[in-house]
Amino acid sequence: MDRDDWHSPVSTLADGSILIRGYPIAELIEHLAFSEAVYLVLRGEVPSRAEATLFDACLCAILDYAMGPAPYAARVVASANPQLVPALAAGVLAQGAYAASPQDAGEFIAGALEKWRSQGRGVEDVATAVVDEVVREGRRIPGFGRPSNHEPDERAAALERVMRSSGKWGEASELYTAIHRRWLERTGKKLVINVDGMLAVALTELGFRPLEMGGVAALSFLPGIIANAVEEIISGVKIRQIPGLRYTGPKKRHLDDRRG
Amino acid sequence: MDRDDWHSPVSTLADGSILIRGYPIAELIEHLAFSEAVYLVLRGEVPSRAEATLFDACLCAILDYAMGPAPYAARVVASANPQLVPALAAGVLAQGAYAASPQDAGEFIAGALEKWRSQGRGVEDVATAVVDEVVREGRRIPGFGRPSNHEPDERAAALERVMRSSGKWGEASELYTAIHRRWLERTGKKLVINVDGMLAVALTELGFRPLEMGGVAALSFLPGIIANAVEEIISGVKIRQIPGLRYTGPKKRHLDDRRG
Amino acid sequence: MDRDDWHSPVSTLADGSILIRGYPIAELIEHLAFSEAVYLVLRGEVPSRAEATLFDACLCAILDYAMGPAPYAARVVASANPQLVPALAAGVLAQGAYAASPQDAGEFIAGALEKWRSQGRGVEDVATAVVDEVVREGRRIPGFGRPSNHEPDERAAALERVMRSSGKWGEASELYTAIHRRWLERTGKKLVINVDGMLAVALTELGFRPLEMGGVAALSFLPGIIANAVEEIISGVKIRQIPGLRYTGPKKRHLDDRRG
Amino acid sequence: MDRDDWHSPVSTLADGSILIRGYPIAELIEHLAFSEAVYLVLRGEVPSRAEATLFDACLCAILDYAMGPAPYAARVVASANPQLVPALAAGVLAQGAYAASPQDAGEFIAGALEKWRSQGRGVEDVATAVVDEVVREGRRIPGFGRPSNHEPDERAAALERVMRSSGKWGEASELYTAIHRRWLERTGKKLVINVDGMLAVALTELGFRPLEMGGVAALSFLPGIIANAVEEIISGVKIRQIPGLRYTGPKKRHLDDRRG
């Protein structure tokens, strides 16, 4: 695509009215839930009732986590620059390889589904083949494991219940959980499916591309960042510094005057 | 507040379970719409049905605007650094004095309401006093006027309809619209109430503080930023440059060798 | 200015060569110090020897401060998203009203200089008039005071020595220090001139506009942010959380099933 | 490393004085050029005269490029949020895979040097082995090629001249250019060494780690971002929108009222 060619399928102005994926925005304001409008903006169509129910569950999957890095960074920034927007941006940046990145699991699931579809074997056979390959290559499976313990992840479990009750437990769900079972047997490890893994399953069932899953995580992450940034600004704390910081550099020394 | 004293009312870990404003997160995932969960995170309580309806309308008020600065900046960043998170952060930063800042109108409304409550006069008298003061001091009223035209703002109109139908058209709404009518009479100008102004009215009726209104705008802004950033990354366009850029600096010239 | 009219005086491409303020970039790479090139990019001309000496001192004025908010935020972000660029951006955002903002003092100085030039009185008279006005209006003077103590600021003192030795101690310096002396007498307070204040004086003497001073501070801030972000990424620490965080929200409670 | 263990070798406060890598900051302000201070902050020691000369050249290697994505994004952000700091952060984010990332070439060079040192063969033999492997695996070599043409890169050429004249043309330089020659012969392509490639060579000769190279690029990038952000804010342009934007979404359509 040419770098001077700008086009977007998301929205336009027509006769003085904003159309979002074709719909006048006033209709969305009056008749859609926010989660339905987000789904429309990202996926291009208004969700069915079952899709909307599951998508609401996905958007509620993160929210806040006793001040993990995202609200933490937002508060530190706000303590020097007491404005909302820079603090929110700093919080958004604290999302990546170690936190809230369902897109990695989403890409893994997309690859496994493609293998299933191209090979025509049963789900257990495909799961075995996938696990064999992962173990042989010494790779980890995105979405397995929690930093601190081996208990089931309450958020993953809740997402699974909503998938089942809304009739959206489908092929991606069957395949990823079969891979998980097979991987536990094969490796003897005890890692559970974490919230990133199950969020990737649910969003795959809803048709989201892996890259878009990071966007859903960013939306789900934002409320806790906002609430903490507001608290910090209102508290008036100035200049947070790192508690218990140790200095590991050289002892005091002096320059010879190198300039003159 | 002490800079080493960290505390938050938003969430905690208790017995291995995440509590959001006291509620186990699994219950929120299974039973709340995203807009209800956002309201809970920001305001501390689950909204009533009427509050949830109006808050959904508020969250749908921006969404996307034929690629205004926020998705525009996100796309430019993604064309050099094709990753989602930096592009989203750049988009979030494009929110301020000239775009999507209901908090300015929110502060104006809070000041006018305080005047009303402290003075005990009728709404029209307060509106007159407020307009007199604004005109005398040569200030503008945040939330009046649209960049390009004098047509009613379809988004403001839709928000007003939802406020009225959900029974949330209250004191802030009466006062701000009275100020608008009085200001039109007094100045002879034709500026309409824009989406920032009516969003500030609606969020005031819901009990939001001005600073939190910027957070709601950031959430409403984010879906269009995500959709555009994803499109840009998938398109593979590299290195957007400014079309039609004119150079206004000096003609070609040379340094004497100043170093040696 | 029209929103479709893009122009820049900074650089252009001419005959396949990049011109920076008119100079071929290869000449700058071969013959200028970085501080001279920065001065050229920002101010449009190559600095004299004395200007370059003072500008070097200005750029060295911040560097790092035992991990203040900027490197702190960068490290927190890197602990979740172990990449350099997002961490640097988070650090840059931690610059504002409470940290590294010489532009506020720069605007104050510009206003005081204008008063001096328009009134034609002696420096002591102008300083007295400025302090009278500030005290009467209950305002603070940007650049006075340090968070933790009343000792002279070693950075401000070093900047003053370089200004004097490079022959750049001029009208802004005389006026701002006269205002400081007068303000101490008038209020009986003991606040010293801090680094932001003296940096604003030095940059005013060099012809910088207040807005540009924030850019110089951002450059001076960045080395410490980079060094700390690199350390954090290489350390491999995952998911920094706030130490000693207290939860101040409600006790555990349950939703009635509000959805169905 | 423990997530509660915070330590830094960069700076500390001792007896009320800021020490940067052991040196009192006042000495740096009075006696070091900014490039020397940056080198000290990042590498831990004051550079020699030759190191400082080459490091100045590295820091001057980018500066501005007829408004590439970084200043472009900064201007778009400033047109909605007319403040310096958010605009600078947006510009910093526009640095990555497609722009100003010497760290990729830095990692490639580190790998090739390790192969050379571990194998004890001549530089031409190592270059041949590296190119064989790259071609066999279908990979590209970071730092080769320019977006628009096959002319030598003037910035790479200037960096090479400074390396040679300062006596810093060493093993990394020999090896990377040998790989380039061998790769041209082997593939018949005409890609030149670009500025990212030669910057990685120069910074490798100075002892920088690949991750730190991205930080040097960020510093070199920042002056152009600052200058453009200041111009944009002062111009007062509001709300940049994408010129010539085409809408590729669905035609106007209507919701059935899905809520009631």
Side-chain angles (χ1 to χ4, degrees):
Chain A
M1 194 174 125
D2 184 347
R3 68 161 67 148
D4 293 333
D5 181 17
W6 290 98
H7 53 81
S8 163
V10 182
S11 70
T12 195
L13 293 178
D15 305 327
S17 178
I18 303 165
L19 303 183
I20 305 283
R21 301 282 191 179
Y23 295 105
I25 194 166
E27 297 186 18
L28 309 185
I29 293 171
E30 287 192 76
H31 299 300
L32 288 195
F34 181 50
S35 51
E36 294 171 309
V38 172
Y39 190 103
L40 171 67
V41 170
L42 297 184
R43 307 262 63 234
E45 296 298 332
V46 175
S48 69
R49 190 67 65 186
E51 287 165 342
T53 297
L54 179 53
F55 191 51
D56 266 314
C58 292
L59 286 166
C60 289
I62 302 177
L63 297 178
D64 199 42
Y65 185 79
M67 266 203 262
Y72 189 178
R75 279 184 177 252
V76 173
V77 164
S79 82
N81 185 8
Q83 294 190 306
L84 190 69
V85 163
L88 299 187
V92 167
L93 290 167
Q95 178 189 347
Y98 302 157
S101 45
Q103 62 266 49
D104 295 337
E107 275 161 21
F108 174 83
I109 293 168
L113 279 172
E114 200 181 301
K115 185 170 290 200
W116 191 7
R117 281 157 193 167
S118 69
Q119 298 186 346
R121 286 184 288 171
V123 63
E124 295 297 337
D125 287 352
V126 175
T128 300
V130 166
V131 170
D132 285 352
E133 188 184 307
V134 164
V135 170
R136 193 170 58 240
E137 298 177 359
R139 287 189 286 126
R140 57 181 286 282
I141 296 183
F144 289 5
R146 305 178 67 192
S148 42
N149 63 52
H150 300 321
E151 300 293 308
D153 187 309
E154 67 194 316
R155 297 168 293 175
L159 283 171
E160 178 173 340
R161 287 193 294 274
V162 177
M163 272 191 273
R164 290 188 185 280
S165 67
S166 64
K168 303 299 292 182
W169 185 264
E171 289 195 338
S173 316
E174 289 293 345
L175 180 54
Y176 191 70
T177 51
I179 289 170
H180 182 244
R181 285 192 306 274
R182 187 74 195 90
W183 187 87
L184 293 183
E185 291 165 20
R186 175 71 181 267
T187 64
K189 291 182 182 168
K190 294 199 190 314
L191 302 185
V192 298
I193 296 179
N194 61 33
V195 65
D196 279 2
M198 199 58 86
L199 193 51
V201 168
L203 291 168
T204 302
E205 298 290 5
L206 290 171
F208 282 78
R209 295 176 286 191
L211 202 52
E212 292 165 331
M213 296 177 188
V216 175
L219 271 164
S220 184
F221 233 159
L222 197 50
I225 297 170
I226 297 168
N228 277 288
V230 168
E231 290 288 330
E232 184 76 11
I233 294 170
I234 288 174
S235 78
V237 173
K238 290 185 185 175
I239 307 292
R240 295 275 189 189
Q241 274 178 297
I242 292 182
L245 175 68
R246 292 182 295 119
Y247 173 64
T248 57
K251 285 198 195 316
K252 187 168 180 175
R253 51 182 175 165
H254 296 279
L255 285 175
D256 299 322
D257 182 344
R258 301 177 70 263
R259 199 180 258 165
Chain B
M1 195 173 123
D2 183 347
R3 68 162 65 149
D4 292 333
D5 182 16
W6 290 97
H7 52 82
S8 163
V10 184
S11 71
T12 194
L13 293 178
D15 305 327
S17 180
I18 302 164
L19 302 183
I20 305 283
R21 300 283 189 179
Y23 295 106
I25 194 167
E27 296 186 17
L28 309 185
I29 294 172
E30 285 192 78
H31 299 301
L32 289 195
F34 181 51
S35 51
E36 293 171 309
V38 172
Y39 190 103
L40 171 66
V41 169
L42 297 184
R43 306 262 66 234
E45 297 298 332
V46 175
S48 70
R49 190 67 67 187
E51 287 164 342
T53 297
L54 178 54
F55 191 51
D56 266 314
C58 292
L59 285 166
C60 288
I62 302 177
L63 297 176
D64 199 44
Y65 186 78
M67 264 202 263
Y72 189 179
R75 280 185 176 251
V76 172
V77 164
S79 82
N81 185 9
Q83 295 189 305
L84 189 69
V85 163
L88 300 187
V92 167
L93 290 167
Q95 180 188 344
Y98 301 158
S101 45
Q103 62 268 48
D104 295 338
E107 276 161 19
F108 174 83
I109 293 167
L113 279 173
E114 201 181 298
K115 184 170 292 200
W116 193 5
R117 283 159 193 167
S118 68
Q119 299 186 345
R121 286 183 289 170
V123 62
E124 296 296 336
D125 286 351
V126 176
T128 300
V130 166
V131 170
D132 284 350
E133 185 183 309
V134 164
V135 170
R136 192 170 58 238
E137 298 177 1
R139 288 189 287 126
R140 55 182 287 282
I141 296 183
F144 290 4
R146 304 179 67 192
S148 41
N149 64 54
H150 300 321
E151 300 294 308
D153 187 309
E154 65 193 320
R155 297 169 293 176
L159 283 171
E160 178 173 342
R161 287 194 293 274
V162 177
M163 271 190 276
R164 292 188 183 279
S165 67
S166 64
K168 304 296 293 182
W169 185 265
E171 290 194 339
S173 316
E174 289 294 345
L175 179 55
Y176 191 70
T177 51
I179 290 169
H180 181 244
R181 283 192 307 273
R182 189 73 195 88
W183 188 86
L184 294 182
E185 291 165 19
R186 173 73 180 266
T187 65
K189 291 184 181 167
K190 294 197 190 316
L191 301 186
V192 299
I193 296 179
N194 62 33
V195 66
D196 279 1
M198 199 57 86
L199 193 51
V201 169
L203 291 168
T204 301
E205 297 290 5
L206 289 171
F208 283 78
R209 294 176 286 192
L211 202 52
E212 292 166 330
M213 296 179 188
V216 174
L219 270 163
S220 184
F221 232 159
L222 196 51
I225 297 170
I226 297 169
N228 277 287
V230 167
E231 291 288 328
E232 184 76 12
I233 293 171
I234 288 174
S235 79
V237 173
K238 291 184 186 174
I239 308 292
R240 295 275 188 189
Q241 275 178 295
I242 292 182
L245 175 68
R246 292 181 296 119
Y247 172 63
T248 56
K251 285 200 195 314
K252 187 168 179 174
R253 52 183 174 164
H254 296 278
L255 287 175
D256 301 321
D257 183 345
R258 304 178 68 261
R259 199 179 258 163
Chain C
M1 195 174 122
D2 184 347
R3 67 162 65 148
D4 293 333
D5 182 17
W6 290 97
H7 52 82
S8 164
V10 184
S11 70
T12 193
L13 293 177
D15 306 327
S17 179
I18 303 164
L19 303 183
I20 306 283
R21 300 282 190 179
Y23 296 106
I25 193 166
E27 296 186 17
L28 309 185
I29 293 171
E30 286 191 78
H31 300 299
L32 288 195
F34 181 51
S35 50
E36 294 172 308
V38 172
Y39 190 102
L40 172 66
V41 169
L42 297 184
R43 306 262 66 234
E45 296 298 334
V46 175
S48 70
R49 190 67 65 185
E51 288 164 340
T53 297
L54 178 53
F55 191 50
D56 266 315
C58 293
L59 285 165
C60 289
I62 303 178
L63 297 177
D64 200 43
Y65 186 79
M67 265 201 263
Y72 189 1
R75 280 185 175 250
V76 172
V77 164
S79 82
N81 184 9
Q83 295 189 306
L84 190 68
V85 164
L88 299 187
V92 167
L93 290 167
Q95 180 188 346
Y98 300 158
S101 45
Q103 62 268 45
D104 295 338
E107 276 162 19
F108 174 83
I109 293 167
L113 279 172
E114 202 181 298
K115 184 169 292 199
W116 192 6
R117 282 159 193 165
S118 68
Q119 298 186 344
R121 286 183 289 170
V123 61
E124 296 297 336
D125 287 352
V126 176
T128 300
V130 166
V131 170
D132 284 351
E133 185 182 310
V134 164
V135 170
R136 193 170 57 240
E137 297 177 2
R139 287 189 287 127
R140 56 182 285 282
I141 296 183
F144 288 6
R146 304 179 67 193
S148 40
N149 62 54
H150 301 320
E151 300 293 308
D153 187 308
E154 66 193 318
R155 298 169 293 176
L159 283 170
E160 178 173 341
R161 287 193 294 274
V162 178
M163 270 190 277
R164 292 189 184 278
S165 67
S166 64
K168 303 299 291 181
W169 185 264
E171 290 195 339
S173 317
E174 289 294 344
L175 179 54
Y176 191 70
T177 50
I179 289 170
H180 181 244
R181 283 191 308 273
R182 188 75 194 89
W183 188 86
L184 293 182
E185 291 164 19
R186 174 74 181 266
T187 65
K189 292 183 181 170
K190 296 198 188 314
L191 302 186
V192 299
I193 296 180
N194 61 34
V195 65
D196 279 1
M198 199 58 85
L199 194 50
V201 168
L203 291 168
T204 301
E205 297 290 5
L206 289 170
F208 283 78
R209 295 176 285 192
L211 202 52
E212 292 165 330
M213 297 178 188
V216 174
L219 270 164
S220 184
F221 232 161
L222 196 50
I225 298 170
I226 296 169
N228 277 288
V230 168
E231 291 288 328
E232 184 77 11
I233 294 170
I234 287 175
S235 78
V237 173
K238 291 184 185 175
I239 306 292
R240 295 275 187 188
Q241 275 177 296
I242 291 182
L245 174 68
R246 292 181 296 118
Y247 173 63
T248 56
K251 285 199 194 314
K252 188 168 180 175
R253 52 183 175 164
H254 296 278
L255 286 175
D256 301 322
D257 182 343
R258 303 179 67 261
R259 201 179 257 162
Chain D
M1 193 173 125
D2 184 346
R3 68 162 65 149
D4 292 332
D5 182 17
W6 290 98
H7 53 83
S8 163
V10 183
S11 71
T12 194
L13 293 179
D15 306 325
S17 178
I18 303 165
L19 303 183
I20 305 283
R21 301 282 191 181
Y23 295 106
I25 194 165
E27 297 186 18
L28 309 185
I29 292 171
E30 286 192 77
H31 300 299
L32 290 195
F34 181 51
S35 51
E36 294 172 309
V38 173
Y39 190 103
L40 171 66
V41 170
L42 298 184
R43 307 263 63 235
E45 296 298 333
V46 176
S48 70
R49 190 69 64 186
E51 288 165 342
T53 298
L54 179 53
F55 191 51
D56 266 315
C58 291
L59 285 166
C60 289
I62 301 177
L63 296 178
D64 199 43
Y65 186 80
M67 265 202 262
Y72 189 178
R75 279 185 178 252
V76 173
V77 164
S79 82
N81 185 9
Q83 294 189 307
L84 190 68
V85 164
L88 299 187
V92 167
L93 291 167
Q95 179 189 346
Y98 301 157
S101 45
Q103 61 267 48
D104 295 337
E107 276 162 19
F108 175 83
I109 292 168
L113 279 173
E114 199 180 302
K115 185 169 291 199
W116 191 8
R117 282 157 193 168
S118 68
Q119 297 187 347
R121 285 184 289 171
V123 63
E124 295 297 336
D125 286 352
V126 175
T128 300
V130 166
V131 170
D132 285 351
E133 187 184 307
V134 164
V135 170
R136 193 169 59 240
E137 297 177 359
R139 287 188 286 127
R140 56 183 287 282
I141 296 183
F144 289 5
R146 304 178 67 192
S148 42
N149 64 53
H150 301 320
E151 300 294 307
D153 186 308
E154 66 192 318
R155 297 169 293 175
L159 283 171
E160 178 172 341
R161 287 193 294 273
V162 177
M163 272 190 273
R164 291 188 183 279
S165 68
S166 64
K168 303 299 292 182
W169 184 264
E171 291 195 338
S173 316
E174 289 294 344
L175 180 54
Y176 191 70
T177 51
I179 290 169
H180 182 245
R181 285 192 304 275
R182 187 74 195 90
W183 188 85
L184 293 182
E185 292 165 19
R186 175 72 180 266
T187 64
K189 291 182 182 170
K190 294 199 190 314
L191 302 185
V192 298
I193 295 179
N194 62 34
V195 66
D196 279 2
M198 199 59 85
L199 193 51
V201 168
L203 291 168
T204 301
E205 297 290 6
L206 289 171
F208 283 78
R209 295 176 285 192
L211 203 52
E212 292 165 331
M213 297 178 187
V216 175
L219 270 163
S220 184
F221 233 159
L222 196 50
I225 297 170
I226 296 168
N228 277 287
V230 168
E231 290 288 328
E232 184 76 11
I233 293 170
I234 288 173
S235 78
V237 173
K238 291 184 185 175
I239 307 291
R240 295 275 188 188
Q241 275 178 297
I242 292 182
L245 175 68
R246 292 182 295 119
Y247 172 63
T248 56
K251 284 197 195 318
K252 188 169 181 175
R253 52 182 174 166
H254 296 278
L255 286 174
D256 300 323
D257 182 343
R258 304 179 68 262
R259 198 180 258 164

